[in-house]
Amino acid sequence: TSDAADFLGWFLNELHKDLGGTKKPGSSIIHDVFQGGVRVETLSRKTHMTKREEEDVDATAVSAEEQGWTRTENDLNFMYLTLDIPPTPLFKDTQGGNIIPQIPLFDVLTKYNGVK
């Protein structure tokens, strides 16, 4: 499966370069069609804050910043996303074919929502 992903990355990059594209977003039709963006939000604490007892953290604080966390956001561009597709089932249905699970796209994209 990595061969297909490697080929797709190489192919899109070569098409983009051959069409005169640069690193600037929207510089070729390949970027216009395939490029997307994702916002990455990171919460971090300073080392001295993590060594404190949990009781010392202000229980009335409503935001992460008020609890001593630092929030940073970065916007990253991508040409394709990899998705974790569930494995094919081992059992066959009554007609002898495999039952293909129907999973909503939003469930497959949950790895990018920062919660799971």
Side-chain angles (χ1 to χ4, degrees), residues 58-78:
D58 184 6
T60 61
V62 292
S63 70
E65 288 84 1
E66 291 177 2
Q67 294 179 359
W69 291 88
T70 304
R71 182 185 313 264
T72 57
E73 289 184 0
N74 293 325
D75 292 328
L76 302 175
N77 295 327
F78 62 87

Side-chain angles (χ1 to χ4, degrees), residues 5-77:
D6 291 341
F7 174 73
L8 178 64
W10 172 83
F11 185 66
L12 290 175
N13 190 38
E14 290 299 313
L15 281 175
H16 173 67
K17 287 192 307 187
D18 288 346
L19 292 170
T22 62
K23 292 188 182 235
K24 179 181 168 193
S27 61
S28 76
I29 187 74
I30 302 301
H31 269 194
D32 290 341
V33 172
F34 290 100
Q35 188 175 43
V38 64
R39 176 167 289 150
V40 177
E41 181 179 293
T42 307
L43 291 173
S44 60
R45 271 185 154 173
K46 295 193 188 295
T47 307
H48 72 278
M49 292 296 289
T50 57
K51 293 180 181 176
R52 292 174 46 189
E53 295 294 324
E54 288 298 322
E55 300 88 41
D56 293 341
V57 177
D58 184 6
T60 61
V62 292
S63 70
E65 288 84 1
E66 291 177 2
Q67 294 179 359
W69 291 88
T70 304
R71 182 185 313 264
T72 57
E73 289 184 0
N74 293 325
D75 292 328
L76 302 175
N77 295 327

